[in-house]
Every structure is written in C-alpha cells, then in structure tokens.
C-alpha cells in the first residue's frame, strides 16, 4: 500500500498520510514494458513557501553499525535541495533524541520536528515509512513529517552491498521525497514503465538495487510542486544550508 490515511481528532484539525516503501525479491521477474517518460505524481499536501527551507533532524538510535547514516541523511537532503527549477530546500538541524511522534496514531505526539529515525516494529517487507501531517482541508499545507526506517532490515552501503542487503542511501532519499510532498510515480504493478522503475520515488526496492541519485522524473516532480529559483539565489543552485539546533533559519 502506498498511502494509509489517518485522521487526527477534529479539534486538532490535523490529518496524516503514511507512505510505505516495500522491498522486492532479489530475483523478482519483471514483465518487459515499453520505455517512456515517467509520470510523476504529487501529493495534494505540500509545504508553504514561507516554511522553506524545511528543517530535518536525525535520531541515530538503532542505526546499523558500520554505516555513517548521518552522512547519508545529509547527502539526501542536499540532493533534494539542489534541483534546478525548484524553490524547495531542506536544512539539516543535527541529531536528536526525538522519536517519530507523527507515526504514533494513538497519542499523536507532534513535536514540531521532522525526524529520521529507526524502529523495530515495522512489518516484514517494509523498508521505511513516512508519516506526513497536514493542517486544514484535503489540500492543506504540510506541518510535520517523521520517517521510520526498519531497524530489522539487513542494510548495506551503496559501495559494498552483499547478497540480501538493501541500500540504505536509496531508502532515505526516497522517504525524504515523501517528506517534500511527492508521491510514487506508479503503483509498482506490471504496468510501470522502465523509466518509472528507475525513479527514486518508485514504490519498492530490490535487494542490492541502488536508486540513490535523483532521476529526471524526481526532479521534474519537485520543480512542479515548488516552481521557482533554487534557494541559493536567482537562477543558480545555491549551497546546502545547515541549521543548528536552537538557531533560527537563515
């Protein structure tokens, strides 16, 4: 399932969509389909331009040993922040002990922080989920998102993926795309084109498969959602901006 809508109490005026990235078998057979340009899909809920850049924290608890996950988070944030023709940008805020409160439907512990975390309760077959919260009606602006990566997955580094390992960099890049307001380009069925399968936002990932660099379809989606000059300046791709905890956005 790609999206699992959840509704907060009416008094809060908040709603949540959960985006799920699943794994596919390493030997999965795929029906040949004609290559064509992918058809990106935007979610109706996006960030207000006044809220850019969107700050993101990382909770290292439960991270796999031998992988510098914080570097993967920073790299993914930077890729989404340097898309030509898009005004969207993330800003890295550092590490935190905050959890994925937006994914807790029982208590809905929103803390105003967009956090990348690891969790042990995600179902088998799920690599990660993004819980995106918006305010107002069905087209309301995003106000917070939290990402949970499955700590039980056999994660690997892009440069040394072994049998049965999944690329953590690809998964983080995908989930942050949901945090920006992007959807999956197709359902993951046999009707998907080769171009759609190559997109970072494709809804599943095979063992040892790498999709850790934004493709044209991903970039076109972000530019359509947030048209304008990149945050670094008019007509240029500006530097990635880091925001320290407790310090206002620049």
């Amino acid at each position: 399932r790609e999206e699992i809508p959840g509704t907060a109490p009416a008094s809060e005026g908040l709603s949540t969509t959960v985006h799920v990235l699943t794994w596919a078998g390493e030997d999965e057979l795929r029906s040949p389909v004609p290559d064509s340009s992918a058809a990106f899909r935007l979610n109706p809920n996006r960030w207000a331009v006044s809220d850019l850049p969107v700050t993101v924290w990382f909770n290292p608890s439960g991270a796999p040993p031998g992988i510098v996950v914080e570097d993967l988070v920073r790299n993914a944030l930077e890729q989404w922040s340097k898309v030509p023709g898009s005004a969207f940008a993330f800003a890295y805020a550092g590490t935190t002990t905050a959890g994925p409160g937006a994914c807790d439907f029982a208590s809905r512990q929103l803390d105003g922080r967009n956090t990348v975390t690891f969790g042990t309760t995600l179902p088998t077959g799920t690599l990660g989920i993004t819980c995106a919260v918006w305010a107002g009606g069905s087209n309301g602006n995003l106000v917070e998102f939290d990402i949970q990566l499955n700590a039980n997955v056999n994660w690997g580094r892009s440069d040394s993926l072994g049998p049965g390992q999944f690329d953590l960099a690809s998964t983080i890049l995908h989930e942050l795309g949901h945090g920006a307001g992007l959807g999956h380009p197709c359902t993951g069925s046999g009707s998907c084109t080769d171009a759609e399968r190559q997109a970072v936002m494709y809804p599943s990932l095979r063992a040892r498969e790498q999709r850790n660099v934004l493709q044209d379809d991903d970039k076109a989606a972000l530019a359509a959602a947030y048209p304008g000059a990149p945050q670094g300046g008019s007509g240029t791709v500006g530097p990635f901006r880091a925001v320290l905890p407790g310090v206002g956005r620049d």
Side-chain angles (χ1 to χ4, degrees):
R1 292 177 295 176
E2 177 187 349
E3 298 177 350
I4 308 173
T7 303
S11 60
E12 295 182 19
L14 300 175
S15 300
T16 302
T17 295
V18 180
H19 305 275
V20 182
L21 176 65
T22 60
W23 73 50
E26 189 169 0
D27 298 322
E28 177 193 44
L29 296 178
R30 294 176 169 179
S31 302
V33 293
D35 189 13
S36 64
S37 60
F40 61 78
R41 190 156 67 86
L42 306 178
N43 292 319
N45 312 108
R46 302 163 206 166
W47 293 94
V49 174
S50 59
D51 288 332
L52 302 180
V54 176
T55 56
V56 176
W57 284 258
F58 169 58
N59 184 338
S61 178
I67 303 177
V68 186
V69 182
E70 187 175 15
D71 285 353
L72 302 184
V73 172
R74 293 177 67 98
N75 177 270
L77 294 174
E78 187 167 8
Q79 286 197 56
W80 285 116
S81 300
K82 291 185 175 181
V83 173
S86 171
F88 184 83
F90 281 121
Y92 184 58
T95 58
T96 181
T97 58
C103 298
D104 186 346
F105 292 103
S107 60
R108 193 60 60 93
Q109 297 294 323
L110 302 183
D111 57 8
R113 291 193 171 192
N114 309 303
T115 308
V116 179
T117 68
F118 284 87
T120 59
T121 60
L122 295 180
T124 300
T126 298
L127 296 175
I129 64 173
T130 298
C131 306
V133 182
W134 74 92
S138 59
N139 294 319
N141 288 330
L142 291 173
V143 296
E144 183 175 334
F145 72 85
D146 287 320
I147 292 171
Q148 269 192 307
L149 304 169
N150 194 338
N152 298 319
V153 168
N154 183 11
W155 295 112
R157 299 184 337 190
S158 301
D159 60 354
S160 59
L161 289 171
Q165 287 192 317
F166 291 86
D167 187 31
L168 184 53
S170 298
T171 303
I172 292 172
L173 188 62
H174 174 101
E175 296 302 337
L176 284 170
H178 287 314
L182 304 187
H184 296 150
C186 63
T187 62
S189 67
S191 62
C192 297
T193 67
D194 286 345
E196 287 169 335
R197 295 181 190 278
Q198 294 168 6
V200 166
M201 296 310 297
Y202 184 73
S204 67
L205 186 73
R206 292 183 298 171
R208 305 185 81 173
E209 183 177 22
Q210 297 182 42
R211 289 203 302 274
N212 50 30
V213 176
L214 295 182
Q215 301 300 300
D216 289 344
D217 185 64
D218 305 305
K219 296 176 183 179
L222 197 70
Y226 304 93
Q231 290 288 303
S234 177
T236 62
V237 177
F240 176 62
R241 296 185 288 177
V243 177
L244 299 177
V247 179
R249 294 196 293 257
D250 60 354

